[in-house]
Amino acid sequence: MRFDIITIFPNILDSYFNESILKRAGKNGLVEIKTHNLRDFTDDKHHKVDESPYGGGPGMVFKVEPIEQAVKSVKKQAGNKKSRVILFSLRGEKFDQKIAHRLVKYDQLIFICGRYEGVDERVAEYIADEEISIGDYVLSGGELPAAIVTEAVSRLVKGVLGKHDSLEEFKGSYPVYTKPEIVKIKGKNRKVPDVLLSGDHKKIEEWRNKR
Ligand code: SAH
């Protein structure tokens, strides 16, 4: 599965993707994560990607044309893959595990990361297939949302999670403990729940389901 991230700050993401699970998945050829500098898709010699908004107001807005060029180019690079173009926006559908399961069915996800005052609305209307928000709070750009969606979706690609990584889905999340059995915290001994030391697997499963 291929992820193409269109951003004016490609370096922010490269260091994160070059570690841990995602690095291994890349090495194994299971996922391919590519960042693209939006400024490479301008005709303008100053590589200008933004303009002030019509109607006035503070801030700058990403222009349509460089984004259209970038999307066209990364679609072409991937060949005729089943792709989905996603714009990160505060007005988008709220991201969750269900959306991650829906997105893992595509061969290529193309992410458009906004900045400043946002992106010319015609990108949402005519270029993106959908808009996603990662939550009701305002970030300075779509780069962290892109990293979050990339990681949540790649974990669902078959073979990406190794035997040391948890397969647990959000709804099956339960409290976990590890050694030592008793530890002093703020002057008091704190012990691992007895049931987890009982060796009774049926009881342990019941306890985990309840929690
Ligand atoms: N005043 C703008 C704020 C844009 S924030 C507005 O009200 O829309 C700049 C960019 O960051 C956005 O275009 C979007 O791409 C990204 N962004 C910020 N917060 C986000 C969130 N919670 N989820 C997804 N993208 C977000």
Side-chain angles (χ1 to χ4, degrees), residues 148-164:
I148 286 168
V149 175
T150 300
E151 181 158 312
V153 174
S154 339
R155 287 171 56 87
L156 302 176
V157 172
K158 233 180 138 197
V160 164
L161 291 188
K163 66 176 188 309
H164 292 299

Side-chain angles (χ1 to χ4, degrees), residues 88-91 113-119 132-135 137-142 145:
F88 289 107
S89 132
L90 287 161
R91 292 187 300 279
C113 305
R115 277 265 155 188
Y116 316 130
E117 218 28 61
V119 177
I132 287 182
S133 159
I134 62 157
Y137 39 82
V138 185
L139 301 169
S140 302

